Amino acid sequence: MSRNAQSGRRTPSISLRPVKRFKRSTGPVGGSGGPGGSGGKKARRPRRTGWRRLIPTWRMTLLGFGSALLLGIGLFALGIALVKVPDAHAAATAQSNTWLYSDGSVLTRTGQTNRQNVGLDKVSPAAQHAALAAEDRNFYNEGAVNVQGLARAAINTAKGQGTQGGSTITQQYVKNTYLNQKQSITRKVKELFIAIKVDATESKDEILSGYLNTSYYGRGAYGIQAAAQAYFGVDASALNAAQGAYLATLLNAPSAYDVATATAAGKQNAVNRWNYVLDGMVKEGWLSAEERAGTTFPDVRDPQPNPGLSGQAGYLVDAATQYLTSNGVISETELAKGGYTIKLSIDPARQQALQDSVQAQLHDTLSPDKRKKDAAAQAGAASVDPKTGAVVALYGGVDYVKHYVDNATRRDYQAGSTFKAIALAAALENDAKTQDGRTITPNTVYDGTSGRKVRGGKGTPYAPPNEGDRSYGQISLQQATDWSVNSAFAQLAQDTGLQKVKDTAVALGLPGNTPGLDPVPSIPLGAATPSVLDMAGVYATLDNGGRQITPWLVQAVDREGENVALPAHKTTQAISEDTANEVTSMLQGVVSDPGGTGWRAKALGRPVAGKTGTTDDQKSVWFVGYTPELVTSVALFGQDPGNGSQVSLSGVGGIDGAAGGQYPAQIWTSYMKAALKGQPVGDFPTPAGGASTGATDLPTAPSTPSSAPTTSAPTGAPSTGPTTAPGDGSTPSGGTDGGATTAPTPPPTEPTTQPTRPPRPTSRPTPTTQPTTAPTTQPTAPTNGGTDALVGAGAGAGASGGSRG
């Protein structure tokens, strides 16, 4: 302040110094308006904007995790409380299966007795350790559930490495004993909770014992005791390390790893798995390295079927089981548990007729005690309704109890010349052309010279011989079909395209993985090894106007009143109807031509189309034939009764040589007479080009005297072995399916004696230029220019496999 000079009053003075300002405190201390004041407010945290709003805070994360943990514990406790352990004894007892014929009559029952529970002290330690080495090596040191294993299995499955396991032995025991094999989330959740309860109430030994007693080992054997008897004929207590390891191997895939019946690949997989088990036993200290080194693969006994499966019953059950499991209808494990009623498509009357025909035409003529070769004859047959695909009769062998391999479904013998029908279909369907560019028809001329080199391929020449090394000169394709001329069909396949022949085979019904079904020069001569049932399906496609239906054997499945869904019988137009009818017309000549290889089937007295087949060394002989109403495939296989190896059928029945026109054609004719008795006689459709070509319009070959003996042909079903007759390969040299060098003039009525076949010419005719039009008289052979046939496997297969006629 300063004093005013006039008034003497003090007046405020003005300072030029800056005024110090105080910020209002934002802290919690003090009063309002300043530091330490009581009126301060908290600063607001800036709001989250944009994508930051989506990120939970740590408080929210912690709260959520805690809530989820509490919820999981609650649900787990609720699951433990609610899920009950079922009655193990009721669930683990296998029931019987009932198998019915198509009319509802009982075929057989299976599955009632092949189980015997034993305590763990009745199972050898070696067998116990083998099971642990195969399925769960840490069993005694882990809980009921292996979380790490489940996670690993889930990851591998997600990676596309196939459905993976991961279950402990406890879980597998629970699944086998209390649940089913259905892959579902509900079942898996129940399995986990029940496994935890079981692990808490039962000892590890009790669980292992239960697992070994409830596991399925194949051959209808549930439990390790039944398996030990089924595979080795010993009790479970006597199993050694090698045997125990094999039984442990079967747990992975029972039927696929049964070395008595598995494929070559299946046997190798079984050996690989067996080695894996033994190596695991060594790693865990359950088997010494010295013992492991001295362990060899055990001798597995042949299947010893239930007596209720004797005769044809076992073959029918096996074939139906294969159909159900391969189509994913029922797993092998579920079926073995029982409780199913399965109705087959088998007609009991036709089934009996097929059995009777094989007995009368084959087995009644054989004398294994006098002729050792007779014991090598194994027959197989299948009969199919071409309109529906239903298998109405099946013959698997002499007796399932004595010969367990099903001759109707086995795929290890070559089809021979029955495959030539497929080559015909391929050529006609694809409008194939000869080497000089003409479209192939039944009248196309081919050179039938034996050993003629195939033209049009590349590499090593392929030159298959004809039956008996006979040469036929220039012949039409129809004649080559009637007489089963190899050289002509080898050229036909090359003209058509080898891959097209294979593709046509698959389209007509052969499985794509049929052994030997390769696009090589020998393919038309039947180097592939389809089953009798497979070939019945192929010819059924031809009989059904080119419409393919895979043969089926099961009509209905029922379990405890509930129907089980079966696969639909899909129909596919494999080849055109015109092609199918043309091939059928050509195959009629095989039977109607008196010199045709299938002349015996003419005794049926109905329109018949078919083809014979005989393979190298006569190890298998076939006749596949059909009428408009029914297709039947019959084959005879040469199998050594001692070691199971393939052997020649020459000498069976006291006959030098073997051919499809002999036993198979006779069995076929006898069965078809009974199967079609009382039914109207139907006609095949006429090919689009006009009347049936058959063998009636063939060019006439020059007559040649014959020195071959004339032998009687059966006018009906013979009571003794087949008569040797030219035209089906019954030659003194033991030939096969080849035909005559001339086309004998057909007699006005059914012959009582078979026309004789002229002898093989002493010189081969000189080929001339291929005619440009279809011949009306016997033309000359084509030169068919081009390079030689394919290399390697094809040439080899032609020389050592496939048809000799």
Side-chain angles (χ1 to χ4, degrees), residues 599-676:
W599 63 269
R600 281 187 174 87
K602 190 175 181 180
L604 179 62
R606 292 171 176 262
V608 175
K611 187 69 188 75
T612 56
T614 306
T615 62
D616 270 354
D617 301 323
Q618 300 147 12
K619 292 178 180 177
S620 61
V621 292
W622 301 64
F623 183 71
V624 187
Y626 54 99
T627 68
E629 305 82 14
L630 194 61
V631 179
T632 302
S633 174
V634 182
L636 203 63
F637 305 125
Q639 181 175 358
D640 188 291
N643 57 30
S645 62
Q646 296 186 14
V647 297
S648 173
L649 289 164
S650 179
V652 169
I655 301 168
D656 184 14
Q662 296 173 341
Y663 279 120
Q666 291 179 190
I667 294 170
W668 185 94
T669 305
S670 174
Y671 162 71
M672 293 290 279
K673 281 184 176 181
L676 297 175

Side-chain angles (χ1 to χ4, degrees), residues 463-791:
N466 295 328
E467 172 271 322
D469 200 29
R470 282 192 172 88
S471 292
Y472 298 86
Q474 304 101 3
I475 55 174
S476 70
L477 183 57
Q478 178 66 63
Q479 287 175 309
T481 303
D482 296 351
W483 304 334
S484 200
V485 181
N486 287 341
S487 56
F489 271 88
Q491 185 63 57
L492 175 71
Q494 188 66 60
D495 293 346
T496 303
L498 304 178
Q499 184 63 47
K500 289 180 180 179
V501 175
K502 176 183 177 179
D503 292 343
T504 302
V506 175
L508 291 173
L510 281 194
N513 61 351
T514 300
L517 186 60
D518 301 311
V520 295
S522 61
I523 189 172
L525 309 186
T529 60
S531 70
V532 169
L533 181 56
D534 291 336
M535 291 306 291
V538 167
Y539 278 63
T541 302
L542 299 174
D543 199 9
N544 194 30
R547 293 176 289 276
Q548 193 271 333
I549 308 173
T550 300
W552 52 274
L553 195 66
V554 179
Q555 186 173 332
V557 179
D558 173 275
R559 194 172 197 269
E560 298 179 357
E562 295 184 5
N563 291 328
V564 178
L566 293 170
H569 307 310
K570 183 180 179 182
T571 301
T572 303
Q573 193 71 43
I575 57 175
S576 70
E577 187 170 359
D578 288 344
T579 296
N581 293 341
E582 189 70 73
V583 173
T584 294
S585 174
M586 295 184 72
L587 295 181
Q588 286 179 263
V590 175
V591 177
S592 61
D593 181 350
T597 60
W599 63 269
R600 281 187 174 87
K602 190 175 181 180
L604 179 62
R606 292 171 176 262
V608 175
K611 187 69 188 75
T612 56
T614 306
T615 62
D616 270 354
D617 301 323
Q618 300 147 12
K619 292 178 180 177
S620 61
V621 292
W622 301 64
F623 183 71
V624 187
Y626 54 99
T627 68
E629 305 82 14
L630 194 61
V631 179
T632 302
S633 174
V634 182
L636 203 63
F637 305 125
Q639 181 175 358
D640 188 291
N643 57 30
S645 62
Q646 296 186 14
V647 297
S648 173
L649 289 164
S650 179
V652 169
I655 301 168
D656 184 14
Q662 296 173 341
Y663 279 120
Q666 291 179 190
I667 294 170
W668 185 94
T669 305
S670 174
Y671 162 71
M672 293 290 279
K673 281 184 176 181
L676 297 175
K677 185 177 182 180
Q679 293 193 20
V681 177
D683 290 322
F684 288 115
T686 301
S692 174
T693 54
T696 57
D697 297 327
L698 291 178
T700 303
S703 177
T704 305
S706 172
S707 60
T710 301
T711 55
S712 298
T715 58
S719 58
T720 59
T723 55
T724 58
D728 61 5
S730 305
T731 64
S733 60
T736 60
D737 275 3
T741 55
T742 65
T745 302
T749 59
E750 176 70 19
T752 56
T753 60
Q754 173 65 20
T756 58
R757 174 185 294 175
R760 176 166 57 90
T762 56
S763 62
R764 297 177 180 176
T766 302
T768 58
T769 303
Q770 175 70 32
T772 57
T773 58
T776 56
T777 59
Q778 182 68 36
T780 56
T783 56
N784 282 351
T787 56
D788 291 328
L790 294 177
V791 180

Side-chain angles (χ1 to χ4, degrees), residues 52 84 97 144 164 253 387 427 447 454 461 590 654 669 740 769 786:
R52 296 177 181 275
K84 305 296 182 183
N97 289 322
Q164 301 288 311
K387 300 299 186 293
D447 184 352
V454 171
V590 175
T669 305
T769 303

Side-chain angles (χ1 to χ4, degrees), residues 326-349:
S326 63
N327 283 283
V329 178
I330 310 171
S331 71
E332 189 176 359
T333 301
E334 279 296 302
L335 187 62
K337 284 186 175 180
Y340 291 92
T341 299
I342 301 162
K343 180 184 285 189
L344 306 186
S345 58
I346 300 297
D347 180 336

Side-chain angles (χ1 to χ4, degrees), residues 188-207:
K188 196 67 179 178
V189 171
K190 286 183 178 180
E191 175 187 308
L192 294 175
F193 285 119
I194 295 175
I196 292 171
K197 280 194 168 184
V198 168
D199 190 60
T201 57
E202 295 183 25
S203 69
K204 289 289 187 180
D205 283 351
E206 289 174 329
I207 293 172

Side-chain angles (χ1 to χ4, degrees), residues 19-114:
V19 179
K20 197 173 193 178
R21 297 181 182 273
F22 294 93
K23 284 186 179 181
R24 181 173 293 176
S25 173
T26 58
V29 183
S32 63
S38 61
K41 295 183 179 180
K42 296 181 179 179
R44 295 181 179 178
R45 181 176 286 109
R47 293 183 178 181
R48 296 187 178 194
T49 59
W51 61 271
R52 296 177 181 275
R53 299 175 61 185
L54 302 177
I55 302 176
T57 65
W58 68 270
R59 291 187 181 90
M60 293 175 64
T61 302
L62 183 60
L63 179 61
F65 179 81
S67 299
L69 181 61
L70 291 174
L71 180 61
I73 294 173
L75 291 175
F76 181 82
L78 182 63
I80 291 291
L82 293 179
V83 176
K84 305 296 182 183
V85 179
D87 183 355
H89 296 290
T93 302
Q95 303 176 63
S96 65
N97 289 322
T98 302
W99 306 80
L100 307 176
Y101 285 110
S102 60
D103 64 354
S105 58
V106 176
L107 167 63
T108 189
R109 289 185 174 88
T110 61
Q112 290 179 304
T113 59
N114 201 12

